[in-house]
Amino acid sequence: MALSWELAELDIVGYADVRTAHMLPAIMPALYGIRSTPDTVLLPPYSLSWGAVTGAIVATRGEAERLRDRREIFLLEDPIPARADHTLWLRRDGELIYQPRHEAQRMLRELGLEALARAVTALRDGEMEEAEEAAGEAILADDRRWEGLAVKVAIRRREGNLGGEKLMRRLAALLVGSWEFSALVDDYQRIISRSEAGPMSNMALKAA
């Protein structure tokens, strides 16, 4: 039978899955410390339900520190009391947030929309690198934000990267119908074409 620990007895002492800024924002799998046995750290994989952590890998603090030194996990200087129905996530700038799950979901959706708007603006300005990065951020913030994949496909098409375009289309097929996705890709492709046609065409597009 798998061991189980009540969240009321635990602190968050770190998180797994160390990421660079280009892989954020992201929800992070928490590492838990047991208050009654400070030398113990609970590592994923585990299940989290009904206010308890079940089936975690049990490690010593020393073992966790060795994983940290290999940059496989990150350990916090100050533990955070664990709470039920909360989500641990990192902003793009590396800020760590621990908040009720519904608030985290709302904030991430909003970040996804803001990033998508930046991606489209970058397309209009002919800034393909910035558009690519913002589209990636939109997808990371909200994995239902398939419009970011359409931005990436439009950029791949411009580059003549057929393999990359096919990959993005396969990912999008899990989220949206092919006709709707292709129509948005075409819209973004027209934005790119107008941005490359010259300043006057770009100004007309912005005014539209």
Side-chain angles (χ1 to χ4, degrees):
M1 183 175 180
L3 294 176
S4 183
W5 299 265
E6 296 292 325
L7 284 174
E9 306 169 352
L10 306 178
D11 291 319
I12 293 176
V13 297
Y15 52 84
D17 194 17
V18 177
R19 295 185 174 214
T20 65
H22 292 290
M23 301 170 68
L24 298 174
I27 294 173
M28 309 305 292
L31 312 179
Y32 295 97
I34 305 173
R35 294 195 195 107
S36 60
T37 54
D39 189 52
T40 303
V41 179
L42 305 179
L43 308 176
Y46 51 70
S47 61
L48 184 59
S49 61
W50 300 101
V53 174
T54 303
I57 296 172
V58 180
T60 66
R61 181 73 186 190
E63 289 169 334
E65 289 173 350
R66 286 192 286 276
L67 290 173
R68 176 203 59 196
D69 294 342
R70 297 203 299 265
R71 294 187 57 78
E72 295 182 32
I73 65 172
F74 184 89
L75 295 176
L76 302 175
E77 292 185 7
D78 300 312
I80 303 170
R83 297 180 183 276
D85 298 319
H86 275 54
T87 296
L88 186 75
W89 63 283
L90 283 171
R91 287 182 177 272
R92 191 76 163 184
D93 61 6
E95 179 187 1
L96 183 66
I97 298 176
Y98 188 54
Q99 64 185 161
R101 184 176 295 116
H102 70 278
E103 292 182 11
Q105 291 171 343
R106 175 181 55 79
M107 287 188 67
L108 286 164
R109 283 195 299 268
E110 290 175 356
L111 288 174
L113 287 170
E114 292 170 3
L116 180 62
R118 293 201 310 274
V120 175
T121 297
L123 288 182
R124 286 181 173 142
D125 292 340
E127 302 290 347
M128 296 301 111
E129 186 174 342
E130 286 79 358
E132 175 89 21
E133 183 171 347
E137 184 178 348
I139 296 164
L140 288 166
D142 184 355
D143 58 11
R144 296 172 300 178
R145 194 86 269 150
W146 57 268
E147 296 91 341
L149 291 169
V151 171
K152 287 178 172 285
V153 167
I155 294 172
R156 299 295 182 277
R157 185 181 294 176
R158 171 184 177 271
E159 297 168 342
N161 183 349
L162 183 59
E165 179 177 343
K166 286 182 176 179
L167 173 61
M168 296 299 161
R169 286 186 178 275
R170 284 200 297 270
L171 294 173
L174 302 173
L175 302 169
V176 64
S178 59
W179 184 90
E180 186 176 359
F181 185 75
S182 293
L184 187 59
V185 170
D186 290 343
D187 286 344
Y188 289 153
Q189 187 65 46
R190 282 191 288 270
I191 289 174
I192 293 173
S193 297
R194 289 172 182 171
S195 74
E196 295 177 335
M200 295 305 294
S201 177
N202 199 31
M203 288 175 63
L205 179 63
K206 289 183 177 181

